[in-house]
């Protein structure tokens, strides 16, 4: 191995340029010398590509540190959309043709592993906007939560045959759930547009047997062989032929998946306010330090982040530049896309206060389970920044610098696939773990925090 470790960095880099994501991560794990030469593949932007059949799949991972794109293993699905990501895994919502019941599938696009979660079997058609889940899901061991509609949270753990949908949560008039973050063992923090935080405590997980059909594991994303052959042969399918194919896939879903039948639900979960009703901090006007109680009303995008065990809210002004009239006659100008980061201090009043520095960390927010990463010295990543998705194109990868107070494009490599509309929806932080004989240290990227104790973000000083 010593001879391979002595490869010139330029040659090793050119070889790695031709490797796919799985082989690239394996190469980084070969030895300490290769790991020093090859930038980590994460964090990356997940790029979706769709076609005329309503098929929208994660097609590429655009790596910021490596400044290149990795093609992801293709899969077959219909009427699908990405509703979340965490670690190596992506959450895909699939609604088979002529069906109203969404099925959430957890997919590892590197290994092609697949975990089919029980369906949402209810008369109401729930619109799932975001899904978060426990790290390292397996077919018999998982936990997930989702935002359904505007005021409901759903959850599922092994042993259930369908998701449990909680009763509507009492929120302020015009308020609604906007973000979730999974943290710890069975704890999900839920955020509303007004900045109200609820804590969902999931029941204890029980293992279950994977779904099987005639002794074989059932797969919703993999196209049956007869349909795959037809799709390969058909160049210009007619509308009727396309409908027949989609009905065939839907029929497999409805008839053959045993997880679609039954009434068994999980044990009851509880959801409670982060701030108790007895605490005066439950009033938004007291929960947020001035003038951020006013700023909270105009920041249309809000996300939760957990960093080094601390809870943060990230607010972004999604409207045009606004000048606020402050109590006492002052004014505050808030440009479009300005971002505010507030840390939760449970022993203070007000308990949410803005921070101006992230202590060398950077946050990655979007439809993914929000991530924090210590970014000092990491190639392609700027410390003390918030990476978000939006911009003028509505799906660009953007970076907000806490020091300058401005957002710019994060500069991912251009991706062009003729005939396939593309968009980015979330950040993808696949695990990047290596243990070698040459280096005893283990390096891991985490979905919520970085290894080691760092300087936590501190409150702003006036």
């Amino acid at each position: 191995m010593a001879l391979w470790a002595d490869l010139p960095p330029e040659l090793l880099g050119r070889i790695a340029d031709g490797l796919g994501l799985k082989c690239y991560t394996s190469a980084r794990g070969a030895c300490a010398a290769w790991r020093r030469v090859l930038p980590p593949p994460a964090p990356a932007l997940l790029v979706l590509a769709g076609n005329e059949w309503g098929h929208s799949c994660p097609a590429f991972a655009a790596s910021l540190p490596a400044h290149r794109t990795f093609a992801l293993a293709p899969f077959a699905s219909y009427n699908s959309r990405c509703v979340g990501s965490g670690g190596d895994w992506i959450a895909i919502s699939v609604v088979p043709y002529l069906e109203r019941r969404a099925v959430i599938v957890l997919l590892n696009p590197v290994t092609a592993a697949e975990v089919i979660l029980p369906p949402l079997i209810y008369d109401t058609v729930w619109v799932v906007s975001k899904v978060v889940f426990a790290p390292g899901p397996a077919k018999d061991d998982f936990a997930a939560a989702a935002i359904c509609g505007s005021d409901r949270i759903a959850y599922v753990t092994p042993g259930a045959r369908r998701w449990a949908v909680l009763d509507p949560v009492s929120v302020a008039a015009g308020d609604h759930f906007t973000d979730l973050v999974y943290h710890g063992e069975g704890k999900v923090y839920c955020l509303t547009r007004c900045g109200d935080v609820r804590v969902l405590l999931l029941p204890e997980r029980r293992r279950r047997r994977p779904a099987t059909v005639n002794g074989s594991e059932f797969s919703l994303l993999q196209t049956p062989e007869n349909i795959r052959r037809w799709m390969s042969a058909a160049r210009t399918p007619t509308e009727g032929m396309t409908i027949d194919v989609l009905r065939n896939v839907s029929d497999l879903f409805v008839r053959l998946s045993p997880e679609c039948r039954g009434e068994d639900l999980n044990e009851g979960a509880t959801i409670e306010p982060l701030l108790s009703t007895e605490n005066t901090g439950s009033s938004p006007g007291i929960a947020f330090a001035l003038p951020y109680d006013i700023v909270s009303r105009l920041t249309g995008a809000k996300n939760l982040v957990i960093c080094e065990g601390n809870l943060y809210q990230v607010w972004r002004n999604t409207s045009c530049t606004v000048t606020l009239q402050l109590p006492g006659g002052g004014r505050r100008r808030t440009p479009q896309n300005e971002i505010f980061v507030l840390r939760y201090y449970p022993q203070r009043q007000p308990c949410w206060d803005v921070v101006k520095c992230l202590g060398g960390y950077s946050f990655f927010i979007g439809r993914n389970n929000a991530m924090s990463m210590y970014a000092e010295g990491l190639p392609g990543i700027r410390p003390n920044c918030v990476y978000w998705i939006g911009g003028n194109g509505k799906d660009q990868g953007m970076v907000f610098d806490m020091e300058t107070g401005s957002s710019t494009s994060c500069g991912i490599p251009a991706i062009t696939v003729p005939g396939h509309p593309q968009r980015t929806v979330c950040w993808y932080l696949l695990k990047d773990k290596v243990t070698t004989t040459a280096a005893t240290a283990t390096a891991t990227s985490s979905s919520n925090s970085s290894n080691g104790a760092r300087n936590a973000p501190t409150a702003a000083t006036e």
Side-chain angles (χ1 to χ4, degrees):
M1 185 64 201
L3 294 177
W4 287 106
D6 293 335
L7 279 177
E10 296 80 5
L11 177 59
L12 178 59
R14 295 194 64 176
I15 295 174
D17 287 343
L19 299 179
L21 184 54
K22 185 176 183 179
C23 292
Y24 184 89
T25 55
S26 298
R28 293 194 76 239
C31 63
W34 285 19
R35 189 172 185 84
R36 286 193 297 268
V37 173
L38 302 179
L45 263 176
L46 190 66
V47 182
L48 306 184
N51 60 25
E52 66 276 12
W53 290 358
H55 170 87
S56 182
C57 65
F60 302 96
S63 167
L64 270 63
H67 197 67
R68 59 161 291 191
T69 59
F70 296 92
L72 302 178
F75 66 91
S77 65
Y78 304 92
N79 297 332
S80 62
R81 57 191 179 90
C82 180
V83 290
S85 72
D88 298 75
W89 295 78
I90 298 167
I92 306 291
S93 174
V94 183
V95 181
Y97 187 71
L98 297 181
E99 288 293 319
R100 300 192 307 167
R101 300 167 180 174
V103 174
I104 307 299
V105 182
L106 305 182
L107 171 72
N108 189 320
V110 179
T111 65
E114 174 186 329
V115 176
I116 303 175
L117 302 183
L120 280 161
I121 304 180
Y122 291 90
D123 293 335
T124 303
V125 180
W126 300 112
V127 177
V128 176
S129 57
K130 182 170 183 176
V131 174
V132 296
F133 47 90
K139 293 179 182 295
D140 62 347
D141 188 16
F142 55 81
I147 299 176
C148 292
S150 61
D151 59 356
R152 289 178 181 262
I153 300 294
Y155 68 94
V156 68
T157 60
R161 292 185 179 273
R162 63 176 178 177
W163 288 65
V165 180
L166 298 178
D167 292 334
V169 176
S170 177
V171 295
D175 200 7
H176 61 269
F177 283 113
T178 184
D179 196 32
L180 302 173
V181 63
Y182 191 100
H183 179 67
E185 184 62 30
K187 182 179 290 187
V188 180
Y189 291 93
C190 315
L191 177 67
T192 73
R193 190 184 184 278
C194 291
D196 186 20
V197 179
R198 307 296 175 99
V199 183
L200 173 68
L201 301 176
L202 297 175
E204 183 178 354
R205 286 147 64 178
R206 298 176 297 169
R207 291 183 177 271
R208 66 158 192 179
R209 291 181 299 174
T212 59
V213 178
N214 298 328
S216 301
E217 288 190 1
F218 179 79
S219 173
L220 182 63
L221 296 179
Q222 300 299 321
T223 307
E225 182 60 30
N226 63 321
I227 297 179
R228 186 182 297 110
R229 289 197 302 267
W230 180 89
M231 291 174 64
S232 299
R235 295 182 178 273
T236 55
T238 65
E239 180 180 357
M241 294 173 68
T242 303
I243 291 176
D244 288 341
V245 171
L246 297 178
R247 281 178 175 166
N248 200 336
V249 174
S250 177
D251 184 62
L252 284 173
F253 162 67
V254 173
R255 290 190 300 104
L256 300 183
S257 173
E259 296 305 318
C260 295
R261 300 190 297 272
E263 298 296 329
D264 297 339
L265 289 171
N266 287 123
E267 297 177 5
T270 60
I271 187 168
E272 55 193 35
L274 178 67
L275 303 176
S276 65
T277 54
E278 293 80 10
N279 189 338
T280 56
S282 61
S283 169
I286 300 177
F288 304 125
L290 293 172
Y292 302 101
D293 57 334
I294 301 176
V295 173
S296 67
R297 304 169 194 169
L298 64 93
T299 46
K302 287 186 171 68
N303 294 89
L304 287 172
V305 181
I306 297 174
C307 178
E308 292 291 356
N310 298 307
L311 183 63
Y312 297 85
Q313 291 193 34
V314 180
W315 301 351
R316 180 167 59 89
N317 175 23
T318 55
S319 63
C320 59
T321 298
V322 178
T323 300
L324 299 176
Q325 297 289 339
L326 303 180
R331 292 186 178 185
R332 193 198 191 282
R333 184 177 180 273
T334 304
Q336 183 183 19
N337 290 328
E338 182 175 2
I339 284 179
F340 305 88
V341 179
L342 294 93
R343 177 176 169 177
Y344 176 56
Y345 296 92
Q347 305 304 321
R348 291 190 190 177
Q349 286 294 333
C351 56
W352 291 98
D353 200 1
V354 74
V355 298
K356 297 295 186 181
C357 177
L358 301 184
Y361 283 86
S362 285
F363 295 169
F364 295 81
I365 59 175
R367 203 169 290 175
N368 51 283
N369 197 54
M371 310 178 289
S372 64
M373 174 180 291
Y374 189 73
E376 294 283 1
L378 187 64
I381 304 298
R382 292 156 53 184
N384 300 311
C385 290
V386 176
Y387 286 79
W388 56 283
I389 297 174
N392 294 331
K394 305 302 182 184
D395 60 357
Q396 298 180 47
M398 305 291 292
V399 53
F400 177 84
D401 191 304
M402 296 287 290
E403 181 177 353
T404 64
S406 61
S407 288
T408 57
S409 172
C410 65
I412 65 168
I415 304 173
T416 302
V417 182
H420 291 262
Q422 298 157 49
R423 56 194 176 92
T424 56
V425 294
C426 60
W427 298 96
Y428 184 45
L429 187 68
L430 68 162
K431 293 178 182 177
D432 183 27
K433 184 175 181 180
V434 58
T435 302
T436 68
T437 56
T440 57
T442 298
T444 306
S445 295
S446 169
S447 62
N448 282 325
S449 65
S450 178
N451 290 332
R454 308 291 185 181
N455 295 323
T458 56
T461 56
E462 298 299 333

